[in-house]
Amino acid sequence: AEYSQLIKAGADSISLYQETYHPESYTKHHTFGIKRQYKKRLNALEHAAKAGFHRINLGSLLGLYDWRYEAIALAEHIQYMMKHYWTVKYGVSFPRIKDMFGSFNVPYTITDLQLVQLITSFRLIFPDLNITLSTRESATFRDHIVSLGITTLSAESKTSPGGYCSSNAEEQFSTSDHRNLQEIKLMLSNNQLDPVQKDWDLS
C-alpha cells in the first residue's frame, strides 16, 4: 500500500539493494531495526513490482561476502523477477564498499579486474538489463569501462540523507568521480557514445 502511494505521487522507479544475499553475513552486519529482517528486504522488490513500479533496480553491496556468490544470487533474483513480473524494466548496479566514515575492514575485497568481469558477465547474460556505474568508482575507471555495456552513469551524486534538498546530514559514503553533468556528457561523446537524458518511460 505504501509503494502504491509513492507511485500515485509520481515515482516510477525504485532502487533497493539487498546489500548481501548471504544470510549469515547479512545478520552479522545488520544488528538492529527493521532492516535486520533478511526476508523482508529480499521480498520488498516483489511487493514493489506488484504495486506497479515501472523500473526496478537491484544490486548487492560488494565487499560483505564473496563477489562470486553475490553474482550468482543476484542473477537468480533478477531471473525470478523477470519471470514473474515481465512488464517491469530491470536494472542492476555493483556498488563496492569504498571509503566511509568510521572504521570498517572490508571482509571480501573485489578488485577492478573482478568488477569488470562481473559487469561484462551480466551484460552477456542479460542483454536488455540496464547497468549503472556509480560515482563510487573513480573517473579513470569509469572512463575505461563505460563502453563495456554500461547503460547508465550517475553524475553530481549526493550520498547524505536528504542530500538533494536542504539537509545538513553527513555523507553515508564518499564519491570518487566529482565531475559535473556536462563533463560526463563530454567524456561519453569522446568515447563515441551518445549521452541521453530521458524521463519519458512512464508516459
Side-chain angles (χ1 to χ4, degrees):
E2 291 172 324
Y3 281 148
S4 296
Q5 285 182 323
L6 292 174
I7 293 170
K8 289 177 182 177
D12 69 345
S13 67
I14 182 170
S15 299
L16 182 65
Y17 303 145
Q18 185 63 22
E19 299 200 358
T20 175
Y21 284 94
H22 187 249
E24 290 79 8
S25 296
Y26 188 95
T27 301
K28 176 183 177 182
H29 295 293
H30 297 82
T31 57
F32 63 91
I34 296 176
K35 194 175 177 181
R36 181 174 172 80
Q37 302 176 42
Y38 177 90
K39 289 185 178 180
K40 182 180 180 68
R41 190 170 184 87
L42 184 64
N43 293 333
L45 289 180
E46 188 162 11
H47 296 314
K50 289 178 180 178
F53 273 107
H54 177 65
R55 290 179 293 155
I56 291 178
N57 302 305
L58 305 84
S60 58
L61 184 57
L62 300 174
L64 296 179
Y65 194 64
D66 189 292
W67 67 275
R68 299 166 188 83
Y69 178 99
E70 300 290 0
I72 293 170
L74 177 59
E76 288 286 343
H77 195 182
I78 293 171
Q79 288 179 323
Y80 172 87
M81 294 295 292
M82 285 180 167
K83 179 178 180 180
H84 291 85
Y85 308 98
W86 54 271
T87 60
V88 176
K89 293 182 67 175
Y90 292 98
V92 68
S93 183
F94 304 103
R96 288 191 285 182
I97 299 177
K98 309 278 274 189
D99 295 336
M100 65 179 68
F101 289 100
S103 58
F104 181 79
N105 295 319
V106 182
Y108 295 89
T109 57
I110 174 170
T111 66
D112 288 354
L113 185 60
Q114 290 168 339
L115 181 57
V116 170
Q117 181 182 347
L118 185 57
I119 290 170
T120 52
S121 297
F122 270 73
R123 173 51 66 225
L124 292 169
I125 296 169
F126 301 104
D128 297 324
L129 192 69
N130 184 69
I131 298 181
T132 298
L133 188 61
S134 82
T135 50
R136 285 176 183 258
E137 302 299 337
S138 70
T140 301
F141 182 80
R142 300 214 305 169
D143 290 0
H144 281 84
I145 72 164
V146 69
S147 59
L148 297 181
I150 302 298
T151 47
T152 304
L153 284 174
S154 52
E156 303 182 24
S157 300
K158 298 182 183 297
T159 65
S160 56
Y164 295 102
C165 56
S166 57
S167 170
N168 293 319
E170 290 185 347
E171 291 182 322
Q172 293 178 305
F173 58 87
S174 300
T175 57
S176 298
D177 189 347
H178 303 290
R179 291 174 293 181
N180 62 36
L181 180 60
Q182 294 305 316
E183 290 172 316
I184 294 294
K185 291 170 70 174
L186 178 60
M187 178 273 290
L188 291 172
S189 297
N190 290 337
N191 278 278
Q192 284 72 55
L193 297 169
D194 294 325
V196 176
Q197 294 170 257
K198 60 191 293 284
D199 59 1
W200 63 80
D201 277 354
L202 190 60
S203 299

